Amino acid sequence: MCNSFPDRHRWAAEQMVSHDDSMQRHATSNAVSAVCSTIYRRRGIIYGLATGVLVGLQMAIVGWLRSSISPYQIMLWRGIMFLLPVGFISWEAGNDYTIADMIYYIGFGFFNALGVLLGFVSLQLAQVGNATAIAFNLPIPATIAGFFVLGERITAYDILLFAINLIGVVLVSEPPFVFGGAGDSVDVDEFFGAMIAMAGLLCIVTSVIFSRKLAYREHSDPALTTVTPGIASVFLCTGVILYTQSWDKSSTLLEVLAIPSAGICGLLGNVFLISALKLESVLVVSVMFTSCVPVSFLLGVWIVQEIPDLVSIVDAFLVLASTCACLFK
C-alpha cells in the first residue's frame, strides 16, 4: 500500500515527460512542415537563383574560350543541345494553341537566342564581369517592361530593391567607361562590347515578356520554350559560320569538354528560367537571375587568380543582398 504512492508519482512523472516529448515532436514536425511548405510555395525563387548561377558559369566558360573558339561555334553547339528536349514536348496541348501562342513561342525563341548570342559576342570586346553585368542585368528593364506590357504592380519596396541591385551590379563590374577619369580616353573595344551587351539585354528582356505572356495564358510548355531558342540558334549561327567560312578547332581536351559544358549550363538554365516565370513575377525572377553577376565575377577571380579587395566584396554582397531580399516580399 505504501509503495503504491511512489509508483503513482513515478507513473505521473513519466506521463508528463512523454506528453512533453510528444508536444516537442509535434512542434518540430509543424516547423519542418511550414518550412517545406514555404520552400515549395516559393520554389520559383529557387529556380530563378539556379538560372543565375548556371548562366554565370556559362559566361565564365565562354569568356575562358574567347581567345581560341568563336562565340558562334559555342552558340551553335548550345543550340543543338537545346533541341534535346524535343521528345518531351506536349504535342496534344498544341491543339489548343492559337496564332498568338505560336507568335509568343517564336518570339521567345528568336529573341532569347539573339540576346544570348550578343552576350557571347560582347565577351570578345568586354571583360567577363562587365559583359555579364550589362547583358544579364534584368531587374530594372524587365520590371519596367512588365509594368507597361503585363500590368504587374511596382511598390516602394521594389524601387528600393532596384536601387540596391543597380548599385551592386555597376560597382561589382567596375566598367572602365563609367569609372574612367575625366582625362582618360574611352577604350573603344570596351565601349562597343558594352553596346553589344546592352542590345543583348534588350533582346533577353523581350524574350522574358514573351515567356511571361505564355505563362499568363497557361500555355507555357518548358520543353517547347527550350527547343525554340535552339532552332533559332542553329539557324543564326549556321548562317554566320557559312558566311564567314570559318571554324576554329579545339586544341586541348579541356576546350573540347568546355564547349558542351557551356551548352549544358545554358540548357538547364533555360529550363529553370521557364519554370520560374510560371510561378513568380518578372521582378522576382529577374532579380534572382542577377546572381549570375557575382558568380561570373567570382569564377573570373578563381580563373585569373586575382584576390578581390574589400570594395569588391562589399559590392558583390549588395547584389546578393538584393536577390535574397525577394524572399521577404
Side-chain angles (χ1 to χ4, degrees), residues 31-299:
V32 172
S33 177
V35 170
C36 293
S37 176
T38 300
I39 292 175
Y40 179 79
R41 180 172 55 87
R42 303 308 302 271
R43 63 191 183 280
I45 292 177
I46 300 175
Y47 294 157
L49 181 61
T51 301
V53 172
L54 289 166
V55 168
L57 178 58
Q58 175 188 241
M59 290 294 284
I61 294 173
V62 176
W64 179 72
L65 291 169
R66 62 187 169 189
S67 61
S68 56
I69 305 296
S70 165
Y72 304 105
Q73 288 179 223
I74 300 174
M75 191 67 185
L76 175 61
W77 286 111
R78 180 182 184 272
I80 292 174
M81 299 194 70
F82 269 50
L83 301 179
L84 295 178
V86 67
F88 297 95
I89 295 177
S90 178
W91 300 106
E92 295 81 6
N95 297 326
D96 299 327
Y97 290 162
T98 64
I99 295 178
D101 293 327
M102 297 312 299
I103 291 175
Y104 292 150
Y105 273 115
I106 295 172
F108 172 81
F110 175 78
F111 284 104
N112 181 276
L114 182 59
V116 175
L117 177 59
L118 290 173
F120 286 0
V121 172
S122 70
L123 290 173
Q124 302 298 306
L125 302 172
Q127 299 175 9
V128 175
N130 294 351
T132 305
I134 297 171
F136 297 103
N137 182 27
L138 293 179
I140 294 178
T143 304
I144 291 175
F147 174 74
F148 287 106
V149 179
L150 305 177
E152 295 185 341
R153 190 168 60 93
I154 295 179
T155 65
Y157 183 82
D158 297 334
I159 296 174
L160 176 62
L161 199 64
F162 299 158
I164 296 174
N165 184 268
L166 181 61
I167 293 171
V169 166
V170 172
L171 294 180
V172 79
S173 61
E174 297 184 6
F177 54 87
V178 173
F179 288 91
D184 297 337
S185 60
V186 178
D187 187 279
V188 176
D189 287 345
E190 191 75 32
F191 175 76
F192 280 110
M195 293 301 100
I196 294 173
M198 183 63 69
L201 170 63
L202 296 177
C203 290
I204 294 174
V205 169
T206 304
S207 73
V208 169
I209 297 301
F210 277 122
S211 178
R212 193 62 179 163
K213 277 282 191 180
L214 288 168
Y216 280 146
R217 297 166 67 88
E218 298 183 352
H219 285 169
S220 179
D221 182 352
L224 184 56
T225 46
T226 299
V227 171
T228 48
I231 296 173
S233 299
V234 170
F235 275 102
L236 285 171
C237 296
T238 300
V240 173
I241 292 172
L242 291 176
Y243 177 77
T244 58
Q245 295 184 353
S246 62
W247 184 267
D248 299 323
K249 294 183 179 180
S250 303
S251 58
T252 64
L253 177 61
L254 192 58
E255 289 181 355
V256 173
L257 296 176
I259 294 174
S261 296
I264 292 173
C265 290
L267 174 61
L268 294 177
N270 194 75
V271 172
F272 279 125
L273 175 63
I274 301 305
S275 300
L277 288 170
K278 292 176 66 175
L279 299 169
E280 298 289 348
S281 69
V282 171
L283 165 68
V284 174
V285 175
S286 59
V287 172
M288 300 306 293
F289 184 87
T290 313
S291 59
C292 65
V293 176
V295 169
S296 63
F297 171 77
L298 293 173
L299 287 175

